[in-house]
């Protein structure tokens, strides 16, 4: 797919992705294109109807850039641009532009079903994953689940302090039984009032999640469940940080993206690029106290993100 802007032609692949993103966007400029010199940062901007994502492009060679594909909040075609910031010596300008599509897929629908399973104690008993690609499903279901716009009131299981829980298959049982280690670790590290109940609640076969993990040789999952049961929550790195309309996310590759909800509060692309620049130079912040949010970047220099993330 060829797109042009400022005299440059680019071809990018893929030109669509599931709504939860993931994967690498490869941007190839034509041989006669002259990109800014290596000292100039280039950014990839995905602009949707209500949400805009910006990430720093990685220059692979003279004519090729790589970018992560961030998750989105709607099935839609968005504007995709490659541009520089006004803070660069060459000034801010769009180098090339095109269109990128976020589409539905089965994993998104499975994630939505799993999120809704907390209301039905029998929902997880007959979920069949045999048609899914086992090599990628664990990572993708975590991405899809994390990308769901779940309400703050969402619970892993519905419970009442005054009613004893009947045995049931929980999301922890489901993830462990299917050896979805990445998804299970995500659930264990997701703030949740009912996590202790889920860890100690047997299913209809009188199995605890930790027993299923031991039977399958998932030692790292066993260790994390033991730590959680003993109240030993480790100082883990958080991949997503939200504050108002701003969301900063560290992707699996270590790359950072910043998303901004334009319906809540408008910011220009240059202002959002500045936010991303400050995230990239921000190495560690405590919010809330005792819980570290760590974002690593090999060009970390400063510590000025506070006015955006801490209010």
């Amino acid at each position: 797919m060829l797109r042009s802007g400022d005299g440059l032609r680019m071809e990018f692949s893929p030109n669509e992705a599931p709504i939860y993103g993931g994967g690498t966007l490869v941007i190839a400029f034509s041989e006669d294109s002259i990109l800014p010199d290596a000292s100039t940062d280039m950014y990839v901007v995905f602009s949707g109807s209500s949400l805009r994502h910006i990430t720093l492009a990685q220059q692979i060679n003279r004519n090729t850039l790589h970018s992560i594909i961030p998750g989105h909040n709607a099935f839609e075609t968005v504007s995709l641009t490659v541009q520089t910031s006004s803070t660069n010596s060459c000034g801010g300008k769009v180098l090339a532009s095109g269109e990128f599509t976020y589409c539905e897929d089965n994993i998104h629908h499975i994630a939505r079903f799993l999120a809704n399973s907390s209301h039905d104690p029998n929902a997880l008993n007959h979920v069949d994953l045999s048609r899914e690609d086992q090599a990628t499903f664990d990572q993708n279901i975590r991405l899809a689940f994390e990308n769901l716009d779940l309400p703050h009131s969402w619970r892993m299981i519905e419970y009442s302090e005054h009613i004893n829980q009947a045995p049931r298959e929980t999301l922890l049982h489901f993830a462990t039984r299917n050896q979805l280690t990445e998804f299970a670790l995500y659930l264990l590290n997701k703030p949740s009032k009912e996590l202790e109940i889920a860890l100690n609640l047997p299913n209809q076969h009188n199995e605890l999640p930790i027993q299923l993990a031991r039977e399958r040789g998932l030692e790292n999952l066993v260790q994390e469940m033991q730590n959680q049961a003993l109240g030993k929550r480790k100082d883990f790195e958080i991949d997503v940080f939200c504050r108002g309309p701003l969301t900063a996310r560290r992707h699996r590759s270590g790359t950072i993206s910043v998303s901004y909800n334009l319906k809540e509060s408008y910011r220009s692309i240059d202002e959002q690029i500045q936010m991303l620049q400050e995230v990239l130079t921000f190495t560690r912040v405590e919010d809330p106290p005792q819980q570290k949010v760590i974002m690593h970047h090999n060009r970390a220099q400063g510590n000025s993100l506070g006015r955006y993330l801490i209010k």
Side-chain angles (χ1 to χ4, degrees):
M1 178 176 293
L2 290 173
R3 294 291 184 267
S4 62
D6 199 42
L8 303 180
R9 292 190 305 156
M10 74 171 178
E11 182 176 29
F12 58 90
S13 178
N15 54 29
E16 65 178 32
I19 190 173
Y20 50 84
T24 300
L25 181 72
V26 179
I27 303 169
F29 287 87
S30 59
E31 286 297 323
D32 58 349
S33 296
I34 300 176
L35 296 179
D37 60 57
S39 65
T40 300
D41 286 335
M42 288 174 279
Y43 301 89
V44 180
V45 182
F46 300 77
S47 298
S49 57
S50 63
L51 200 62
R52 184 201 294 137
H53 318 279
I54 299 182
T55 186
L56 182 66
Q58 179 185 6
Q59 189 159 5
I60 304 303
N61 56 42
R62 187 173 66 88
N63 299 102
T64 306
L65 305 177
H66 281 184
S67 163
I68 51 89
I69 302 173
H72 195 50
N73 66 339
F75 306 119
E76 63 177 352
T77 296
V78 304
S79 166
L80 186 150
T81 60
V82 178
Q83 59 191 85
T84 59
S85 167
S86 60
T87 59
N88 289 320
S89 57
C90 65
K93 58 183 178 180
V94 175
L95 303 177
S97 63
E99 292 184 340
F100 187 87
T101 300
Y102 284 100
C103 52
E104 296 184 69
D105 81 340
N106 193 48
I107 293 177
H108 167 78
H109 292 298
I110 292 174
R112 177 65 66 185
F113 174 82
L114 294 179
N116 292 333
S117 70
S118 61
H119 303 293
D120 182 354
N122 299 309
L124 298 175
N125 291 337
H126 307 292
V127 178
D128 181 11
L129 301 180
S130 60
R131 296 183 180 181
E132 302 302 325
D133 182 353
Q134 297 303 309
T136 60
F137 184 79
D138 187 13
Q139 178 186 350
N140 286 339
I141 194 64
R142 183 193 67 81
L143 281 172
F145 201 91
E146 184 181 276
N147 196 63
L148 294 176
D149 187 20
L150 295 176
H152 294 298
S153 60
W154 181 83
R155 292 177 171 179
M156 192 184 307
I157 55 174
E158 292 292 329
Y159 76 99
S160 169
E161 296 178 355
H162 308 292
I163 301 175
N164 290 330
Q165 282 289 329
R168 62 168 294 180
E169 185 89 351
T170 68
L171 281 177
L172 280 179
H173 287 99
F174 172 83
T176 307
R177 180 185 305 285
N178 289 285
Q179 301 187 58
L180 304 176
T181 305
E182 190 170 327
F183 181 43
L185 288 172
Y186 167 77
L187 292 172
L188 286 169
N189 286 321
K190 184 176 176 62
S192 173
K193 294 180 180 179
E194 68 280 1
L195 180 58
E196 182 180 352
I197 295 174
L199 285 168
N200 293 286
L201 183 65
N203 60 15
Q204 291 92 331
H205 304 289
N206 203 33
E207 299 165 317
L208 295 175
I210 195 169
Q211 291 174 269
L212 296 174
R214 285 199 181 101
E215 290 172 2
R216 287 155 178 76
L218 306 176
E219 293 304 322
N220 59 334
L221 198 51
V222 170
Q223 185 62 54
E224 184 61 23
M225 288 180 179
Q226 289 176 332
N227 289 339
Q228 294 285 353
L230 295 172
K232 296 180 180 179
R233 291 184 63 86
K234 64 182 181 180
D235 182 20
F236 58 90
E237 295 185 1
I238 295 177
D239 295 322
V240 182
F241 188 92
C242 301
R243 176 67 73 196
L246 173 69
T247 299
R249 185 183 304 271
R250 183 184 55 248
H251 299 262
R252 191 181 185 90
S253 62
T255 305
I256 306 294
S257 67
V258 165
S259 303
Y260 203 84
N261 189 323
L262 300 172
K263 288 190 174 180
E264 290 188 30
S265 174
Y266 182 78
R267 296 275 186 174
S268 69
I269 290 179
D270 263 333
E271 288 176 309
Q272 193 174 337
I273 287 177
Q274 184 181 358
M275 294 178 189
L276 175 60
Q277 290 169 339
E278 297 196 3
V279 171
L280 294 176
T281 61
F282 195 74
T283 56
R284 202 174 185 99
V285 62
E286 289 193 66
D287 185 42
Q290 309 306 318
Q291 181 170 305
K292 301 290 193 294
V293 178
I294 306 170
M295 289 189 173
H296 298 292
H297 190 267
N298 59 9
R299 297 190 305 150
Q301 298 173 358
N303 190 356
S304 57
L305 184 63
R307 71 175 184 273
Y308 293 124
L309 295 189
I310 302 178
K311 296 181 179 180

